[in-house]
Amino acid sequence: QLFGADTLIEKIKDDLSVPQAAWIISLCGEGGLGKTAIAYETVARYAAAAGFTRIGWVSAKTLQLLPDGALLRYGSAELHWNNLVKKLADQLGIHLGDNSSGWISDFQRGIRSLPPSERCLLIVDNLETVDDVDEVIQYLGSNTLANPHKILLTTRHALLGKVQYLVERHIKGLELESALRFIRSLGNDAIEEASDDELRPIIEVTEGNPLLIKLFVTRLLTSHLPLAFVLAELQAVNQHLGRNIIDYLYAESLSVLEQDCGKDAAHWILNAFCPLGAGESVSYEALRSYSGIEDEETFRKTLRVACDLSLIRTSKLNSRYSIHSLLWKFVCDH
Ligand SMILES: Nc1ncnc2c1ncn2[C@@H]1O[C@H](COP(=O)(O)OP(=O)(O)O)[C@@H](O)[C@H]1O
Ligand SMILES: [Mg+2]
């Protein structure tokens, strides 16, 4: 059961239903926010009613955070495009030739020669790295697909402005009410009976990220440690759990930021959040001045890349900037 997701699911339903709307729909946000769960729920509820006659779902997942906090990393073999296209084609009932080197063009041709009454929905789930996203665009981009078909992507990276015909839905952490209901649904009697104030610290530290909430409650139940201990464990950036969480939430984002903007600018812009409290937001001017990045162009570029990578989040029409409180701990305790 999903909590607090209905409004968003209805919006995505509309994105899927309206034929002339953008035909790439991207659900975007850091790891664990529920992109896959929401995509799944929307497709299960509404894909048929929205007029899709064929559905293909593939996952490019390479990372998993287990309930005990261990981080599982698969090779990215799954992402090999020929294989993904083959899987999609099999589900969509599109025939590909024997020679695998021709699969991508077979697929493109197969889709184009479907009768107009057939509408395909392609879901490409868990695009975790920037390369993954670039490849999807390259192989399933505008040359391949167009009306009446649609692609639903889930990704950690913002694509708006880089891809045409796109609508982007940003997934946020659960609001207080939904988070409380979710926590109580996961717990035992003691958790169910705990007051809102007792549970609030869980929501503060996880910022309503459903995966982190699950991880937290599992840890609480299995460790038999006091809540404050489990909180501390989650925030302990030099320990396994803390490090794994950062790696999972921001898979490769930190290193991509360094690569694209230089190590110094990357560190400076994230360190600019350290004078604030965990989870607090800051204005553009203050962020710029705290970062100490003198050249405005460099600052702007670093800010843009960090936002695209879901490291920095914007609110109130880009007038405020913030980072997740666990990322704050990670950056500012180093
Ligand atoms: N709104 C929600 N209510 C309850 N559980 C949720 C919600 N969103 C996600 N979850 C659960 O949290 C976990 C992480 O969700 P997932 O969809 O895998 O995140 P993402 O794809 O963004 O990394 C899953 O176990 C999922 O079932
Ligand atoms: Mg996912």
Side-chain angles (χ1 to χ4, degrees):
Q1 195 198 346
L2 299 184
F3 294 83
D6 281 333
T7 313
L8 183 60
I9 290 175
E10 293 299 317
K11 278 193 188 143
I12 304 166
K13 171 200 164 194
D14 293 341
D15 296 336
L16 290 176
S17 305
V18 185
Q20 59 273 36
W23 48 266
I24 301 179
I25 300 138
S26 170
L27 310 185
C28 146
E30 69 203 19
L33 281 177
K35 302 179 293 293
T36 296
I38 287 169
Y40 182 85
E41 192 61 27
T42 314
V43 170
R45 281 192 208 168
Y46 296 124
F52 291 100
T53 55
R54 304 185 186 205
I55 294 170
W57 179 300
V58 287
S59 171
K61 197 174 186 73
T62 55
L63 269 183
Q64 195 177 357
L65 188 62
L66 299 175
D68 64 356
L71 192 64
L72 208 66
R73 212 178 265 279
Y74 321 108
S76 64
E78 261 250 275
L79 207 81
H80 193 238
W81 267 93
N82 265 351
N83 291 334
L84 285 193
V85 161
K86 177 76 170 92
K87 279 191 192 161
L88 281 174
D90 287 347
Q91 294 173 61
L92 295 167
I94 288 169
H95 178 75
L96 305 182
D98 294 333
N99 183 353
S100 66
S101 65
W103 280 352
I104 289 171
S105 49
D106 289 353
F107 181 77
Q108 298 178 348
R109 211 172 311 117
I111 288 249
R112 281 197 220 105
S113 56
L114 288 172
S117 57
E118 297 282 352
R119 289 185 72 205
C120 299
L121 177 59
L122 282 62
I123 302 109
V124 187
D125 190 22
N126 296 320
L127 294 164
E128 281 155 1
T129 69
V130 175
D131 286 347
D132 297 347
V133 177
D134 287 346
E135 287 173 13
V136 175
I137 312 282
Q138 187 182 335
Y139 292 115
L140 297 180
S142 51
N143 299 330
T144 311
L145 277 191
N147 275 329
H149 314 297
K150 292 201 193 240
I151 306 178
L152 178 61
L153 305 177
T154 79
T155 172
R156 297 169 186 238
H157 307 301
L159 302 174
L160 206 62
K162 294 177 200 152
V163 180
Q164 285 187 302
Y165 315 111
L166 172 85
V167 55
E168 192 159 76
R169 297 283 175 204
H170 290 261
I171 316 278
K172 303 253 155 57
L174 302 184
E175 301 282 340
L176 184 65
E177 278 306 309
S178 314
L180 286 169
R181 283 191 293 128
F182 182 42
I183 293 170
R184 293 200 168 98
S185 80
L186 294 170
N188 55 12
D189 290 350
I191 292 178
E192 218 170 301
E193 285 158 19
S195 70
D196 291 1
D197 282 342
E198 285 173 299
L199 298 181
R200 206 186 301 271
I202 306 178
I203 299 165
E204 275 162 14
V205 79
T206 59
E207 297 197 358
N209 181 307
L211 181 71
L212 294 183
I213 291 178
K214 259 188 165 168
L215 185 73
F216 187 95
V217 174
T218 307
R219 199 81 166 175
L220 190 66
L221 294 176
T222 57
S223 70
H224 303 284
L225 292 170
L227 196 128
F229 284 48
V230 182
L231 282 176
E233 215 180 28
L234 205 66
Q235 292 176 311
V237 294
N238 293 318
Q239 284 171 21
H240 214 49
L241 184 59
R243 175 75 227 192
N244 280 356
I245 287 172
I246 293 299
D247 280 350
Y248 181 78
L249 293 184
Y250 305 108
E252 298 187 33
S253 293
L254 289 160
S255 55
V256 172
L257 183 66
E258 286 181 4
Q259 271 165 36
D260 286 8
C261 304
K263 258 197 156 95
D264 288 342
H267 287 187
W268 289 335
I269 203 159
L270 291 176
N271 275 306
F273 289 92
C274 296
L276 314 169
E280 256 181 63
S281 72
V282 66
S283 70
Y284 176 90
E285 290 76 17
L287 186 65
R288 175 147 186 240
S289 115
Y290 294 161
S291 78
I293 301 176
E294 296 216 338
D295 178 47
E296 182 142 12
E297 278 310 304
T298 308
F299 175 75
R300 284 193 185 186
K301 179 186 172 195
T302 314
L303 181 63
R304 177 173 53 73
V305 175
C307 290
D308 282 349
L309 291 166
S310 305
L311 288 165
I312 296 181
R313 305 165 305 188
T314 66
S315 53
K316 308 215 168 105
L317 278 179
N318 304 337
S319 63
R320 308 294 298 177
Y321 298 89
S322 65
I323 59 176
H324 195 290
S325 66
L326 293 176
L327 183 59
W328 181 87
K329 263 290 212 182
F330 183 78
V331 168
C332 303
D333 273 13
H334 262 53

